[in-house]
Amino acid sequence: MKAVLVASGEPHPDDARWLDDADMVVAVDAGAAWLVRHGVRPHAVVGDMDSLDPALLASLEADGVAIERHPAAKDSSDTELALAYARRAGADEIVVIGAFRGPRIDHEIGNLLLLASEQAASAARLTLAHGATRVSAMHGGETCFLVAPAGAVVSLFPMGGDAAGVTTTGLRFPLASETLRMGSSRGLSNVVETAPASVRLLEGTLLVVEQPEEGDDDS
């Protein structure tokens, strides 16, 4: 089951396309307002509701939308709680839009770190999307076949420590069972030469960023 989560950042104008084949749509707090503006009623709203207009929340609840309220003082972000909600509902593919370009850079960083969490590792195909840019994570023992076309930029960032045994195919600057060190920028700005390109990882966690070719405007 595919779930699309709409967080409280600024979705790209093209991101509404992700809703077309979604089995479930979950609004993360104020993400509900974006959905309503696009004529979409979410299946659920999850969060502490600190940034969602109370009148809109009441209207959605009256319309039968499931509301999962959490206290403002909590140990997880609204996005993390919404991910847990989608997983409990049976989602095995989750796309998060609105994870970037909000007023809080700490929330953007937190959303990226969710990809590398143990919980994320147990869920299939978790992606943060903004326009043509996709961010995902891969873990030791996995092979990732990239969706980015020829000319696209691909960056690989170790998370939580070094990433060992990194092997790529189809990229301009190949890696052959090499180690990317945590804190190094060596994996930044590679380019897809032949699609579909792939990345294989033996140990560790890699953040995989696929975005349009250099010079394209994805803002």
Side-chain angles (χ1 to χ4, degrees), residues 87 91-92 115 117-125 139 142:
R87 292 190 184 102
D92 57 8
L115 289 168
S117 70
E118 292 182 5
Q119 187 180 31
S122 65
R125 294 178 293 175
H139 306 272
E142 295 181 348

Side-chain angles (χ1 to χ4, degrees), residues 24-124:
M24 169 184 286
V25 178
V26 180
V28 183
D29 205 318
W34 183 88
L35 283 167
V36 170
R37 288 197 300 272
H38 284 78
V40 176
R41 190 189 81 164
H43 294 88
V45 182
V46 178
D48 56 22
M49 313 306 167
D50 65 343
S51 55
L52 181 59
D53 178 62
L56 176 56
L57 178 61
S59 174
L60 290 171
E61 189 168 23
D63 202 26
V65 174
I67 308 297
E68 185 176 280
R69 292 182 176 85
H70 292 269
K74 56 189 185 298
D75 294 330
S76 302
S77 69
D78 288 342
T79 302
E80 185 172 6
L81 293 168
L83 284 171
Y85 181 97
R87 292 190 184 102
R88 290 196 306 271
D92 57 8
E93 178 182 3
I94 302 174
V95 177
V96 183
I97 61 177
F100 306 118
R101 308 220 176 163
R104 298 277 300 272
I105 192 171
D106 54 341
H107 281 270
E108 291 190 42
I109 295 171
N111 290 335
L112 288 169
L113 291 176
L114 287 175
L115 289 168
S117 70
E118 292 182 5
Q119 187 180 31
S122 65

Side-chain angles (χ1 to χ4, degrees), residues 156-159 161-162 179-188 206:
L156 306 174
F157 298 103
M159 301 286 285
D162 296 344
T179 296
L180 295 181
R181 302 292 181 187
M182 177 70 183
S184 169
S185 60
R186 185 183 177 193
L188 181 69
L206 274 178

Side-chain angles (χ1 to χ4, degrees), residues 107-183:
H107 281 270
E108 291 190 42
I109 295 171
N111 290 335
L112 288 169
L113 291 176
L114 287 175
L115 289 168
S117 70
E118 292 182 5
Q119 187 180 31
S122 65
R125 294 178 293 175
L126 173 60
T127 304
L128 307 186
H130 184 84
T133 296
R134 300 172 182 234
V135 188
S136 59
M138 60 184 300
H139 306 272
E142 295 181 348
T143 297
C144 175
F145 291 93
L146 308 180
V147 300
V153 176
V154 174
S155 295
L156 306 174
F157 298 103
M159 301 286 285
D162 296 344
V166 181
T167 298
T168 64
T169 64
L171 297 183
R172 181 174 299 169
F173 309 107
L175 297 171
S177 195
E178 298 183 46
T179 296
L180 295 181
R181 302 292 181 187
M182 177 70 183

